[in-house]
Amino acid sequence: NCVVIGNRVASWFARRPEKYPMLASYECGRFVRQAPEVVDQFVTSYLSGNTDAIEVMYTRFFSFSRNTAATRSLLPFEPHEATHDMDEVWHLHSKEGKFAVTTQPEPEHHSPKYVDYNLAFDQEPEEIMDQMIPLYLNSQMVRTVEESIASEMAIRMQSMKQASENAGKLGHDLALQYNRQRQDMITSALIESLVHAEDY
């Protein structure tokens, strides 16, 4: 099932409903304001078990001359191993329709002097994650849309630049052709004048 952003992409999927069922479509210009609502729908669908994963396909922007098709995984999160002895990996998953968090046990050889035991959170980790995850997903959705828009604008700028260069070259070629024809007309007129002058 697909949720598409952009009129052109929506028309492409609308012509292939059997192969790519489309749940909803949004306009690029209005999506930034609608992103929180869309993210809430994604999270609800994922937590209820109706959706196994949320994948975003978009155009990744690198520069004005380079962009490429890319895929970004929104849900589920896939944390890997710790990259440092003091790192702690939090595994996010769903349990009974809600977000659940488990942590990788801290190795026994850690020295207590590196840990600030006075650090305390006012809320439980699950409550903090419930607030952070929608903000993170919303920012990722907006980012992918903005990158796609930037890629489209870059392609348009390149096309306009190429069209301008082609129009300039065409104008130059036409000017040369016009000047040649004009010179031929002037030369022919001069020759005719000389011929008539010799006759007299």
Side-chain angles (χ1 to χ4, degrees):
N1 296 333
C2 304
V3 175
V4 300
I5 304 169
N7 295 330
R8 185 170 298 179
V9 133
S11 64
W12 189 91
F13 277 94
R15 293 193 298 269
R16 301 162 177 84
E18 296 83 8
K19 192 173 183 180
Y20 305 104
M22 185 170 58
L23 299 179
S25 63
Y26 301 90
E27 295 182 9
C28 286
R30 300 180 181 178
F31 181 76
V32 173
R33 296 182 180 179
Q34 297 173 323
E37 174 187 348
V38 177
V39 167
D40 287 341
Q41 294 175 2
F42 287 165
V43 172
T44 301
S45 178
Y46 177 73
L47 292 178
S48 63
N50 295 330
T51 303
D52 295 329
I54 306 293
E55 302 281 340
V56 179
M57 292 178 287
Y58 68 107
T59 307
R60 187 175 180 183
F61 178 80
F62 290 97
S63 65
F64 281 104
S65 59
R66 182 184 173 216
N67 51 66
T68 183
T71 304
R72 183 185 297 270
S73 299
L74 293 184
L75 288 172
F77 294 126
E78 297 179 356
H80 301 289
E81 60 184 2
T83 58
H84 190 272
D85 290 341
M86 292 304 300
D87 287 344
E88 186 177 22
V89 176
W90 291 45
H91 298 272
L92 177 68
H93 54 88
S94 60
K95 182 179 180 181
E96 298 178 358
K98 296 182 179 180
F99 282 118
V101 179
T102 57
T103 59
Q104 177 180 318
E106 184 177 340
E108 297 179 357
H109 65 273
H110 278 179
S111 175
K113 66 180 181 179
Y114 293 108
V115 180
D116 185 3
Y117 291 101
N118 296 323
L119 183 63
F121 294 98
D122 292 336
Q123 297 172 311
E124 294 296 324
E126 290 81 1
E127 296 179 8
I128 296 174
M129 297 301 292
D130 285 340
Q131 297 176 12
M132 291 180 60
I133 288 172
L135 294 176
Y136 169 77
L137 296 178
N138 181 47
S139 67
Q140 294 301 306
M141 285 295 298
V142 172
R143 175 185 174 183
T144 55
V145 171
E146 295 296 342
E147 284 197 32
S148 297
I149 293 175
S151 299
E152 179 184 356
M153 294 302 175
I155 293 173
R156 289 188 179 187
M157 289 178 64
Q158 290 180 358
S159 300
M160 292 172 62
K161 181 181 178 182
Q162 187 66 37
S164 299
E165 291 176 354
N166 292 339
K169 184 177 183 299
L170 179 61
H172 178 71
D173 293 342
L174 290 175
L176 289 177
Q177 184 178 355
Y178 169 77
N179 289 334
R180 289 194 188 99
Q181 293 180 354
R182 180 171 176 271
Q183 189 63 40
D184 291 342
M185 291 175 60
I186 294 173
T187 303
S188 299
L190 288 173
I191 292 174
E192 290 179 2
S193 298
L194 291 173
V195 169
H196 289 302
E198 289 179 355
D199 290 341
Y200 292 107

